[in-house]
Amino acid sequence: MELKVLLEYLCVQLNALIYLQSYLDIQTLRLPKVSTSEVDNPRKSFRCACVLRWCRSAKRFNIRKPRLTKTATERIVFVSQGDGIPRESSPFINNDSMERGNIYEGKNMALFEEEMDSNPMVSSLLNKLANYTNVTQGVVEHEEDEDSKRKEIKAPRMGTFIGVYLPCLQNILGVILFLRLTWIVGTAGVLESFIIVFMCCSGTLLTAISMSAIATNGVVPAGGSYYMISRALGPEFGGAVGICFYLGTTFAGAMYILGTIEILLKYISPNAAIFEGAGEEVMLNNMRVYGTCILALMALVVFVGVKYVNKLALVFLACVILSIFAIYAGVIKTAFEPPNFPICLLGNRTLVRDGDIPCVKYYEENNMTVTTKLWEIFCGSPLLNATCQEYFILNNLTEIQGIPGVASGVLFDNLWSVYGDKFAFVEKQDQPSVPVLEETDVNIKHYVYSDIMTYFTMLVGIYFPSVTGIMAGSNRSGDLRDAQKAIPTGTILAILTTSFIYLSCIVLFGACIEGVVLRDKFGQAVNGNLVIGTLAWPSPWVIVIGSFFSTCGAGLQSLTGAPRLLQAIARDGIVPFLHVFGHGKANGEPTWALLLTALICEIGILIASLDSVAPILSMFFLMCYLFVNLACAVQTLLRTPNWRPRFKYYHWTLSFLGMSLCLALMFICSWYYALVAMLIAGCIYKYIEYRGAEKEWGDGIRGLSLNAARYALLRVEQGPPHTKNWRPQVLVLLNLDSEQMVKHPRLLSFTAQLKAGKGLTIVGSVLPGIYLDKFTEAQRAEENIRSLIGAERTKGFCQIVVSSTVRDGISHLIQSAGLGGMKHNTVLMAWPQSWKHTDNPFSWKNFVDTVRETTAAQQALLVAKNIDLFPTNQERFSEGNIDVWWIVHDGGMLMLLPFLLRQHKVWRKCKMRIFTVAQMDDNSIQMKKDLQMFLYHLRINAEVEVVEMFENDISAFTYEKTLVMEQRSQMLKQMQLSKNEREREIQSITDESRGSIRKKSRSSPQCIGQDVDNLLPNDIQEEEVEIAQLIHDRNTASRSTGMVKSQTAIATPDKIQMTWTKEKLISEKHKNKEACLSSYKDIFSMKPNQSNVRRMHTAVKLNGVVLNKSQHAQLVLLNMPGPPKNRHGDENYMEFLEVLTEGLNRVLLVRGGGREVITIYS
């Protein structure tokens, strides 16, 4: 036993020496990277194995391995595969192949190892998901190059309370609560104010439920509502709503800044005003100047560093919470000791009170009547005999308590609304007053009055921004420990909390504060104090300072969040003109987006009225909430397999109710603002649809489209469309060159010009070969065709078929293109210009067979001749004609196609002319009248002309042209026949030679014979080289087949052994030559077929008539005659069509599908 241990110890030391040698090699040689083939080096493999054994043994004997420098440790890394065995990974080894080998080595998944690159192991997938970190807002989404873009960040630690609840609380409770809620309660009354708050809070609560369902349906990277809406509704809706949400957030920043200035100039430091005076315009100018300065200061703070804004967030939140507690404490205190805020009334009108002015006209002092400041204000002089205003003389001054307390019963006086016009006095309803018929000398600045016209819907628009901010939690999803749990819980709890605060404040304000004080927007009746501050305990300054810092913080948060939202939209690439705003500083801060945000925010500052800015941002936020509800409702109704939210307390009816409520609130707030907001969103939607990048996010609108398409296809499948619904559903057959580029791109231009019918378009092409060998070329061809479709603005689908022959591929497209009822009914193809060329013998055969198949499938056929002369979509015809030659009735295709073409701007200015042909027995005058009446009923404007074609003798030109055509056809057949006979002769010679080889193989193991080249004389030997080669090929192929079948190994001779004689071969050759000569003599002595002569006569005569009338037409549409039933005349059919269209620039041959496509009935 001790010997065994000693030997093992010596082995370890030996391994250590080998390890040191490896280390010295690495340090001194600094070898470059080696290829995969060098990895198998035996010495290096042995060294690696020894090093690994040393490591395993060193642990047992506590032997410390030699120290390595930093360079060496960076270059030798020991990795573990999970089986406890470390393996070496070195920069000198190809890491890709090494890693792949490590994955497969020692595993039980060898059956799947060829697919490991595309289908990773489950353990690898789970490891990636476990290490997933949410990307920050504005960074490219995790689904695009996530592994390369992700940065190592600290694990998120925020929970529900800190990460969601408190941010939502801070964003919801804001400027409206402190500056406008008391005024809303006083104007609308407690009941209507309760309705306003309940409607708005219900809308946000329903939206929060929908948002919770979306947010818990998978991992939501930081990006907030924009991310959720865009991924749920698609890039078009996402971009439109995202920009609206950005504008709403930006205008919210302007509103918060205006609130900050109002608190500063009204309640903190009124003397700080730059422009002196009491007019409304003076105050607005002060707001504009101070607002611009504070906006610049806040933008600078955000630009310098967002971390300072985040550090101050808790301070601002503490101010908000402290202010809320001060309000409730003040309410409780009023029950025992109401604060002393006397209000002075003249009659029933509320007077502005500044300082300790006594609320009397005069008083007795030392037996003398002394006038007060109010007497001097309304009489213009302190003298008792001064002329005073009539209303001042007729009415008495009354002083009442502004805050009578919660136990005073003032709640019942404040239940009902008191709306008024602009400049209406704030009056106490139950106070006696003597009215004055005409007041000419009234000084309105001494009364408390309404600065704007008030009504219910306007108050809704002003109040709604106070319930926004519910997205604050979802915007921080990247910083949450468990976003799927924290977002629903924190958001809904924050909404319930704030809703309770708002509703309770409405009741408490109505129960504690006098109505005239509530309607005093700026606290002029209480010595210029903030109205809500008069209720607070221990001091009004708690509310003033708290609201000031709260609004400052909210403004900074808006200026921080809005640029990042714009940067996220820009980096998505869905709105091209916003691309520049995706860039920023080196640390990712959105500099350009911040600049644009500040400029838009300045627009709100220049409006200068908080009451005017609030409805604007209400529109944008309501639209955002509307689409959040829509996204949840769509996903729920579609029941897509991926819709599995962890939040279960949702239903599509709740989402639909929230969507309807948001839409109603939009029009309640301001119907014209709602229309403008919807118009902006619609314009952005259409812009993204036509100019934006294509994104596939698995959105609900795409799923809705699929469901709608499925439903529509099932409906269409029920039967063929009615004639009134018929439109050309076009299958465009394109030819590709060797580079898979389209040969005739103007065929797609013509297709786009036909799309006035808004029908289906399928662009198809055929690649000859086997799909397994040609799938790369097929993908490249599809990409080229799709790019051309996009360039031509053609809406359609692309379908590439790989088939053994082009003929079969076209047949497959005609039979199977489309889906269900959405199949093509029209085939569009180009005329084969090279059909006469001998190097392309199959083009005309494929063409004629395509014509036959479209006829059999009852599909219309359009053949564009000289397609390269057709106009592009950028060209415009300022004049010209579209001539229709209506020879036979084809279901109305010839009438419908020009009408559709003239809807396009290329052909819009062309006139339509219809020609028809009258025979000898026809009444041409009556035909013209009938045709005009038919076009009138079809509602088609066109000139009508009847062309008379009388019977006459067949000309010598026609006879000679037919003869040349048939001779050419016969020569082609003879050439094909000679080729077939030649192949049969080769086959017979091959069979004889194979038989001779078998006989000689039986008699002798070595085949000895005479070569065929030696049998031939020198004068014919060169002529038979090709025949001999073909014989050799055939013989080799046949012999190989025979060997496989018989499984007998026969030695293959290098030369072909023949048994025929030289005389036999020469005689066969002369025999064939004589047969060919005789057949050629028959060709030149033949007479043309009378049927072909008559057809050629028709083609020549009709071509002459068409040339006479339509040679200068922009486009000629012509009935396309059908192919002959006998396939032996196909080449003659091509010649007839060539003669028929000879001399015309642009021709569209039209063949109907066998059904009516146009009708005179409604």
Side-chain angles (χ1 to χ4, degrees):
M1 185 66 183
E2 293 177 356
L3 180 63
K4 180 179 180 182
V5 173
L6 179 62
L7 290 175
E8 188 173 355
Y9 178 81
L10 293 175
C11 182
V12 169
Q13 295 302 324
L14 179 62
N15 290 339
L17 293 175
I18 296 173
Y19 179 89
L20 287 173
Q21 181 63 36
S22 303
Y23 166 68
L24 293 175
D25 289 347
I26 295 171
Q27 288 287 65
T28 56
L29 297 178
R30 300 198 180 267
L31 299 174
K33 273 191 175 181
V34 297
S35 63
T36 309
S37 61
E38 294 172 336
V39 176
D40 299 327
N41 185 287
R43 180 172 178 267
K44 184 169 292 187
S45 300
F46 173 75
R47 182 179 303 158
C48 294
C50 291
V51 169
L52 295 178
R53 285 199 301 272
W54 183 89
C55 291
R56 290 194 293 268
S57 301
K59 184 176 181 181
R60 177 179 176 185
F61 290 99
N62 295 323
I63 298 173
R64 302 176 67 183
K65 57 185 177 181
R67 287 188 181 180
L68 301 180
T69 63
K70 183 178 179 181
T71 306
T73 55
E74 287 176 348
R75 293 157 61 195
I76 299 181
V77 182
F78 289 90
V79 295
S80 174
Q81 295 297 319
D83 53 4
I85 303 175
R87 295 178 173 86
E88 182 182 32
S89 176
S90 171
F92 310 124
I93 301 175
N94 191 321
N95 289 326
D96 295 337
S97 60
M98 190 70 181
E99 290 176 4
R100 190 176 300 114
N102 289 341
I103 291 174
Y104 304 150
E105 183 182 353
K107 301 294 182 182
N108 297 323
M109 295 296 170
L111 185 62
F112 301 94
E113 61 186 30
E114 292 186 357
E115 300 177 351
M116 287 291 186
D117 291 335
S118 58
N119 302 329
M121 293 288 294
V122 174
S123 58
S124 175
L125 176 65
L126 294 176
N127 183 45
K128 288 185 178 181
L129 291 177
N131 294 328
Y132 176 81
T133 54
N134 288 312
V135 293
T136 56
Q137 181 176 354
V139 181
V140 180
E141 276 66 30
H142 69 286
E143 66 263 35
E144 299 177 358
D145 300 329
E146 174 193 337
D147 293 332
S148 61
K149 301 292 184 184
R150 185 189 302 146
K151 297 180 179 180
E152 293 293 332
I153 62 172
K154 201 172 182 180
R157 292 297 177 188
M158 287 197 294
T160 303
F161 186 75
I162 298 295
V164 180
Y165 180 76
L166 291 181
C168 287
L169 212 64
Q170 180 186 1
N171 281 268
I172 296 173
L173 300 174
V175 62
I176 300 297
L177 170 65
F178 300 119
L179 296 182
R180 292 292 182 269
L181 187 58
T182 54
W183 174 69
I184 292 173
V185 173
T187 304
V190 173
L191 294 180
E192 291 186 18
S193 299
F194 199 91
I195 294 173
I196 292 173
V197 174
F198 183 78
M199 281 197 308
C200 296
C201 292
S202 298
T204 55
L205 181 61
L206 293 172
T207 303
I209 293 173
S210 300
M211 183 190 70
S212 299
I214 299 173
T216 57
N217 186 50
V219 179
V220 179
S225 58
Y226 163 69
Y227 184 92
M228 290 188 293
I229 295 172
S230 60
R231 270 53 179 182
L233 292 179
E236 294 86 2
F237 278 107
V241 180
I243 291 178
C244 287
F245 189 53
Y246 162 74
L247 293 174
T249 307
T250 305
F251 275 102
M255 184 189 71
Y256 292 133
I257 293 174
L258 290 175
T260 303
I261 303 304
E262 183 175 318
I263 294 171
L264 176 67
L265 296 181
K266 287 283 188 180
Y267 310 114
I268 296 178
S269 180
N271 296 326
I274 298 175
F275 302 97
E276 298 293 339
E280 181 183 2
E281 192 62 33
V282 174
M283 182 61 188
L284 294 180
N285 289 333
N286 286 319
M287 300 280 283
R288 293 184 180 107
V289 174
Y290 273 96
T292 303
C293 296
I294 291 185
L295 172 62
L297 181 62
M298 288 184 175
L300 183 62
V301 172
V302 174
F303 176 77
V304 170
V306 183
K307 59 181 180 180
Y308 302 109
V309 179
N310 294 331
K311 287 180 179 179
L312 292 173
L314 287 177
V315 177
F316 300 143
L317 178 60
C319 294
V320 173
I321 296 175
L322 184 62
S323 300
I324 298 296
F325 281 120
I327 293 172
Y328 283 109
V331 170
I332 296 173
K333 183 176 178 295
T334 60
F336 309 101
E337 186 182 349
N340 183 29
F341 281 99
I343 306 298
C344 187
L345 301 177
L346 177 60
N348 62 353
R349 298 177 183 177
T350 309
L351 297 179
V352 175
R353 192 160 193 173
D354 188 9
D356 296 329
I357 300 176
C359 188
V360 292
K361 295 181 181 180
Y362 49 84
Y363 57 90
E364 296 289 336
E365 183 178 351
N366 298 328
N367 296 325
M368 293 181 62
T369 303
V370 180
T371 58
T372 62
K373 183 67 174 177
L374 291 176
W375 181 279
E376 185 178 350
I377 290 173
F378 287 96
C379 298
S381 171
L383 301 177
L384 287 172
N385 58 357
T387 305
C388 300
Q389 296 179 17
E390 185 178 1
Y391 188 84
F392 181 75
I393 296 172
L394 297 177
N395 291 278
N396 297 322
L397 289 169
T398 308
E399 189 174 70
I400 63 173
Q401 191 57 249
I403 303 179
V406 71
S408 63
V410 74
L411 174 64
F412 299 100
D413 298 332
N414 295 328
L415 285 177
W416 313 109
S417 60
V418 184
Y419 298 116
D421 296 329
K422 188 175 182 180
F423 302 122
F425 297 115
V426 175
E427 299 175 342
K428 185 172 173 56
Q429 299 299 315
D430 56 352
Q431 187 73 17
S433 173
V434 179
V436 178
L437 296 178
E438 292 184 5
E439 290 186 85
T440 56
D441 56 348
V442 62
N443 193 347
I444 194 173
K445 67 179 182 179
H446 300 297
Y447 296 99
V448 179
Y449 62 91
S450 177
D451 61 335
I452 58 173
M453 182 179 179
T454 56
Y455 44 91
F456 178 81
T457 58
M458 186 268 293
L459 295 181
V460 175
I462 293 176
Y463 172 76
F464 187 80
S466 65
V467 296
T468 59
I470 63 174
M471 302 291 186
S474 62
N475 290 340
R476 295 167 178 253
S477 58
D479 302 323
L480 301 175
R481 185 184 303 115
D482 185 359
Q484 297 190 10
K485 178 181 178 182
I487 290 177
T489 306
T491 304
I492 293 176
L493 282 178
I495 292 175
L496 294 176
T497 303
T498 53
S499 300
F500 172 78
I501 292 173
Y502 281 126
L503 293 173
S504 63
C505 282
I506 288 175
V507 177
L508 294 176
F509 291 164
C512 295
I513 305 175
E514 182 63 49
V516 291
V517 180
L518 289 173
R519 292 191 293 275
D520 184 5
K521 183 187 293 185
F522 303 109
Q524 293 172 303
V526 287
N527 297 326
N529 286 308
L530 184 62
V531 174
I532 196 173
T534 60
L535 187 62
W537 181 86
S539 170
W541 285 101
V542 176
I543 297 293
V544 172
I545 300 301
S547 61
F548 178 78
F549 284 109
S550 172
T551 52
C552 283
L556 282 172
Q557 292 288 349
S558 297
L559 290 179
T560 303
R564 280 157 179 74
L565 177 59
L566 181 62
Q567 187 183 46
I569 299 172
R571 288 187 174 181
D572 262 346
I574 58 176
V575 185
F577 68 82
L578 293 180
H579 179 69
V580 66
F581 299 107
H583 306 292
K585 294 192 292 186
N587 60 352
E589 291 297 319
T591 307
W592 292 107
L594 176 61
L595 179 61
L596 179 65
T597 302
L599 292 177
I600 297 176
C601 193
E602 178 63 20
I603 296 175
I605 298 296
L606 294 177
I607 295 175
S609 174
L610 188 147
D611 300 326
S612 301
V613 173
I616 297 175
L617 64 100
S618 295
M619 292 301 110
F620 293 124
F621 278 118
L622 279 168
M623 183 168 291
C624 177
Y625 297 163
L626 183 149
F627 280 102
V628 169
N629 288 291
L630 175 63
C632 182
V634 168
Q635 296 280 19
T636 306
L637 290 174
L638 288 179
R639 298 178 182 177
T640 53
N642 192 52
W643 179 247
R644 303 183 302 273
R646 289 189 178 276
F647 182 78
K648 301 299 182 183
Y649 306 102
Y650 71 94
H651 196 267
W652 70 267
T653 54
L654 295 177
S655 300
F656 186 78
L657 180 61
M659 181 181 66
S660 304
L661 187 57
C662 289
L663 183 63
L665 285 172
M666 286 179 65
F667 284 92
I668 288 174
C669 293
S670 175
W671 64 269
Y672 46 89
Y673 277 169
L675 292 178
V676 171
M678 295 173 72
L679 179 63
I680 293 173
C683 293
I684 297 171
Y685 177 92
K686 298 304 292 184
Y687 177 81
I688 296 173
E689 185 180 19
Y690 284 102
R691 297 294 302 275
E694 291 291 335
K695 299 284 184 181
E696 176 53 62
W697 288 333
D699 50 88
I701 294 299
R702 187 65 59 90
L704 185 63
S705 301
L706 290 174
N707 270 18
R710 179 184 62 85
Y711 176 76
L713 284 172
L714 292 175
R715 289 290 302 273
V716 172
E717 186 72 11
Q718 294 177 0
H722 192 271
T723 303
K724 292 184 289 185
N725 293 327
W726 193 94
R727 58 195 67 195
Q729 321 275 20
V730 185
L731 169 63
V732 186
L733 298 178
L734 295 179
N735 293 326
L736 305 176
D737 57 17
S738 59
E739 299 296 328
Q740 279 73 50
M741 302 298 292
V742 179
K743 287 185 179 180
H744 303 294
R746 298 203 178 188
L747 202 60
L748 278 179
S749 302
F750 185 70
T751 305
Q753 294 157 22
L754 270 176
K755 288 298 290 182
K758 303 295 183 184
L760 174 73
T761 299
I762 303 174
V763 182
S765 187
V766 179
L767 292 180
I770 301 174
Y771 183 71
L772 292 178
D773 300 331
K774 292 284 187 177
F775 72 92
T776 304
E777 289 85 347
Q779 289 178 348
R780 184 164 63 249
E782 185 172 356
E783 291 175 0
N784 294 337
I785 293 177
R786 286 188 187 280
S787 62
L788 184 61
I789 288 175
E792 296 293 340
R793 302 273 181 96
T794 303
K795 301 292 184 181
F797 307 96
C798 178
Q799 188 168 353
I800 303 296
V801 171
V802 180
S803 180
S804 57
T805 63
V806 176
R807 174 72 204 88
D808 292 340
I810 294 176
S811 177
H812 296 159
L813 279 174
I814 292 175
Q815 294 178 60
S816 61
L819 178 64
M822 288 298 289
K823 294 180 67 70
H824 62 279
N825 54 29
T826 305
V827 177
L828 173 62
M829 60 188 303
W831 172 263
Q833 299 288 349
S834 59
W835 71 273
K836 289 186 178 180
H837 296 179
T838 56
D839 59 347
N840 194 13
F842 297 105
S843 64
W844 61 271
K845 291 185 178 180
N846 294 339
F847 177 81
V848 178
D849 286 342
T850 302
V851 176
R852 286 195 175 98
E853 288 200 351
T854 55
T855 304
Q858 294 184 342
Q859 297 173 3
L861 177 64
L862 309 178
V863 179
K865 190 176 181 185
N866 300 326
I867 184 61
D868 294 329
L869 299 178
F870 276 58
T872 63
N873 290 331
Q874 287 71 37
E875 297 181 34
R876 304 287 184 274
F877 287 133
S878 58
E879 58 181 2
N881 299 315
I882 300 177
D883 288 354
V884 178
W885 285 85
W886 193 18
I887 311 300
V888 295
H889 182 58
D890 58 351
M893 280 287 290
L894 284 172
M895 307 291 180
L896 184 61
L897 292 176
F899 170 78
L900 296 178
L901 285 174
R902 292 181 69 241
Q903 307 302 310
H904 197 272
K905 51 192 173 184
V906 174
W907 307 91
R908 187 166 295 158
K909 295 185 178 180
C910 293
K911 297 180 180 179
M912 180 178 170
R913 299 192 302 179
I914 297 181
F915 298 89
T916 188
V917 176
Q919 300 296 324
M920 179 70 71
D921 299 332
D922 296 328
N923 185 345
S924 58
I925 298 176
Q926 187 63 36
M927 281 181 63
K928 184 174 183 179
K929 290 181 179 180
D930 294 341
L931 184 55
Q932 288 175 338
M933 182 60 65
F934 180 59
L935 292 177
Y936 175 77
H937 288 303
L938 289 177
R939 290 89 65 200
I940 294 177
N941 297 322
E943 298 180 11
V944 176
E945 185 172 345
V946 178
V947 178
E948 296 180 348
M949 265 181 53
F950 300 112
E951 293 289 340
N952 54 8
D953 295 334
I954 298 174
S955 63
F957 171 77
T958 302
Y959 189 87
E960 182 179 356
K961 197 169 185 66
T962 309
L963 181 61
V964 171
M965 177 189 70
E966 292 194 354
Q967 288 175 349
R968 178 179 179 278
S969 175
Q970 194 65 25
M971 289 178 66
L972 290 173
K973 289 180 181 178
Q974 288 294 338
M975 291 172 63
Q976 186 68 24
L977 184 62
S978 300
K979 182 179 179 181
N980 294 336
E981 290 179 351
R982 187 179 178 187
E983 290 182 354
R984 285 197 297 270
E985 179 184 351
I986 292 170
Q987 183 65 39
S988 64
I989 295 174
T990 303
D991 294 340
E992 292 182 12
S993 66
R994 190 163 56 246
S996 174
I997 290 172
R998 291 197 188 99
K999 291 178 182 179
K1000 292 187 178 183
S1001 297
R1002 295 192 199 98
S1003 60
S1004 175
Q1006 295 182 350
C1007 295
I1008 303 172
Q1010 189 176 9
D1011 193 283
V1012 67
D1013 294 338
N1014 298 327
L1015 291 174
L1016 301 177
N1018 293 332
D1019 57 344
I1020 66 171
Q1021 184 173 350
E1022 295 179 357
E1023 298 178 4
E1024 299 300 326
V1025 171
E1026 183 179 359
I1027 296 177
Q1029 183 61 41
L1030 289 173
I1031 293 171
H1032 181 274
D1033 295 340
R1034 293 256 184 179
N1035 196 18
T1036 303
S1038 300
R1039 186 166 59 252
S1040 301
T1041 305
M1043 289 172 65
V1044 172
K1045 290 182 179 180
S1046 62
Q1047 298 182 355
T1048 304
I1050 300 176
T1052 304
D1054 295 333
K1055 296 292 184 177
I1056 304 170
Q1057 305 299 328
M1058 303 294 179
T1059 57
W1060 62 83
T1061 61
K1062 178 173 68 176
E1063 290 78 7
K1064 180 178 179 181
L1065 187 62
I1066 294 174
S1067 64
E1068 288 292 332
K1069 178 179 178 64
H1070 286 298
K1071 181 180 178 182
N1072 291 337
K1073 285 186 176 181
E1074 290 174 359
C1076 292
L1077 289 175
S1078 63
S1079 63
Y1080 288 142
K1081 289 179 181 178
D1082 294 338
I1083 290 175
F1084 291 109
S1085 62
M1086 66 181 295
K1087 292 184 179 180
N1089 184 281
Q1090 292 301 316
S1091 177
N1092 289 338
V1093 172
R1094 288 189 292 105
R1095 289 188 174 89
M1096 182 63 74
H1097 172 70
T1098 303
V1100 171
K1101 189 73 183 299
L1102 190 56
N1103 176 256
V1105 174
V1106 173
L1107 280 178
N1108 184 36
K1109 298 289 186 179
S1110 305
Q1111 188 171 10
H1112 301 292
Q1114 302 292 2
L1115 179 64
V1116 176
L1117 284 84
L1118 193 64
N1119 279 120
M1120 181 179 182
K1125 296 181 179 180
N1126 185 2
R1127 290 178 177 269
H1128 297 296
D1130 287 353
E1131 63 275 13
N1132 297 336
Y1133 172 70
M1134 297 296 292
E1135 191 70 41
F1136 295 147
L1137 294 180
E1138 191 73 55
V1139 171
L1140 181 62
T1141 57
E1142 190 175 3
L1144 298 173
N1145 291 330
R1146 303 183 192 91
V1147 182
L1148 186 66
L1149 295 172
V1150 180
R1151 184 164 175 77
R1155 59 163 298 168
E1156 294 292 331
V1157 301
I1158 195 168
T1159 179
I1160 63 175
Y1161 300 104
S1162 60

